Amino acid sequence: SEYLDSYETKGHTEASPNISSFEGQELMFLVSGSDGIHAVNPHTMEKVWHANDGHIDASVLVVDGRVYAATGREKGDAKKHKSYGVSYEFATGRVRWKRELPASSWMKPAIVGTNVCFILGDIYFPSKFGGLSCFNDNSGLPTANFRMLNPVVARPISVGAHIYTADLSGNVCKFHISERRQEWCYSSGSKGKSLTSVNYDTARNLIIYPSVDNGLHVLNPKSGKLIFHWMPNETEGSWRSTYAGVTISDDFWYVADKTGVIRKLHPL
């Protein structure tokens, strides 16, 4: 590789840059914690716009010239800053709408039809509150709200009219957004704090969830019923704490744990 250029924010960066195009313009979006969002020309590495509506750690969602971002309360926030879901114009960074959220939102939003949904859940402050808040992507008017008994810190994934996500206690839930109902929740039996996201195997129509301390759970996406629970045997090595989702290829699943072990599995 050859070094070419750089761009520096005033905050920390936890999410990968997002490069997107709209109407012939290409921008790279950088999130920088308490320094908000920077939209940068990826060719010149020059700033195009900067917005700061709260502490942002997750990648932005870019859909049809609209940029969606979620903010949260950072560690040590004695001032109890509010959290927001925000929609920006792609080219200018102008705020299209900004909505207060009842809890932090630490993951990239998800889009379902005309709804943009933000997960809810604090991790730096004691809480038993979690769920989803959804808004009309154009007007920002509320469309649906779902309550869970634990903070949600997993990436929401949209499949058709549904969103799948998981809470801090390892419960995986499915929500029908337009009909405003929870279809099912499945308990993985985890004892530790779970930050792992759900994955959807499109080819096999399966929901896959690597729990933090209780193996891999493969679910029927329609019913939420357990299809298969895999715990490695002595030869395969013990299941170690994991925060990473499953990587899905045409032929295999790959699971990485916190100790650096990556396991290759043959799907069902």
Side-chain angles (χ1 to χ4, degrees):
S1 63
E2 179 185 1
Y3 174 81
L4 297 176
D5 209 341
S6 65
Y7 180 89
E8 186 173 353
T9 73
K10 295 180 180 180
H12 64 254
T13 301
E14 296 187 16
S16 300
N18 180 329
I19 298 179
S20 300
S21 299
F22 180 67
E23 295 183 340
Q25 182 182 25
E26 189 175 41
L27 291 176
M28 176 170 62
F29 298 96
L30 311 173
V31 298
S32 54
S34 59
D35 193 33
I37 303 172
H38 295 250
V40 177
N41 183 320
H43 305 287
T44 64
M45 297 300 285
E46 295 178 343
K47 181 175 70 177
V48 177
W49 56 263
H50 172 228
N52 193 345
D53 289 281
H55 193 106
I56 302 176
D57 284 342
S59 295
V60 300
L61 171 70
V62 183
V63 180
D64 296 331
R66 297 165 179 173
V67 180
Y68 302 99
T71 80
R73 285 184 63 201
E74 58 187 302
K75 189 174 183 178
D77 176 19
K79 295 183 179 180
K80 297 183 179 181
H81 288 94
K82 296 181 183 300
S83 300
Y84 298 97
V86 192
S87 174
Y88 302 93
E89 283 188 353
F90 182 94
T92 66
R94 182 184 72 86
V95 174
R96 301 178 59 253
W97 50 260
K98 178 178 177 179
R99 300 292 180 258
E100 184 178 340
L101 302 176
S104 296
S105 190
W106 292 119
M107 288 290 168
K108 183 178 181 178
I111 197 92
V112 178
T114 59
N115 302 275
V116 59
C117 298
F118 302 88
I119 60 107
L120 306 171
D122 282 292
I123 56 177
Y124 299 120
F125 308 93
S127 173
K128 284 294 182 180
F129 177 86
L132 287 168
S133 278
C134 303
F135 303 86
N136 180 275
D137 62 347
N138 185 43
S139 66
L141 292 175
T143 54
N145 288 284
F146 303 93
R147 177 71 190 271
M148 297 172 69
L149 297 179
N150 297 282
V152 180
V153 291
R155 177 176 56 90
I157 60 169
S158 59
V159 181
H162 304 94
I163 280 183
Y164 299 85
T165 192
D167 68 18
L168 205 60
S169 294
N171 299 304
V172 179
C173 297
K174 176 186 180 182
F175 302 95
H176 195 298
I177 302 305
S178 60
E179 295 183 3
R180 298 175 178 83
R181 59 183 168 85
Q182 176 184 296
E183 296 203 343
W184 53 256
C185 275
Y186 167 85
S187 174
S188 66
S190 298
K191 303 299 182 185
K193 183 182 292 187
S194 178
L195 303 175
T196 312
S197 293
V198 177
N199 293 90
Y200 175 62
D201 188 326
T202 305
R204 301 173 184 86
N205 192 31
L206 296 170
I207 292 296
I208 311 168
Y209 181 68
S211 68
V212 66
D213 54 16
N214 191 32
L216 188 74
H217 299 251
V218 180
L219 309 176
N220 180 310
K222 184 176 182 179
S223 66
K225 299 295 185 183
L226 179 67
I227 295 174
F228 185 71
H229 177 213
W230 180 74
M231 282 287 283
N233 57 36
E234 293 183 3
T235 302
E236 296 163 337
S238 61
W239 182 266
R240 301 176 179 90
S241 179
T242 178
Y243 287 164
V246 175
T247 298
I248 301 169
S249 72
D250 290 340
D251 300 311
F252 305 104
W253 295 336
Y254 299 87
V255 185
D257 67 35
K258 288 173 61 180
T259 66
V261 176
I262 301 174
R263 291 181 170 88
K264 178 181 178 181
L265 306 176
H266 196 289
L268 302 174

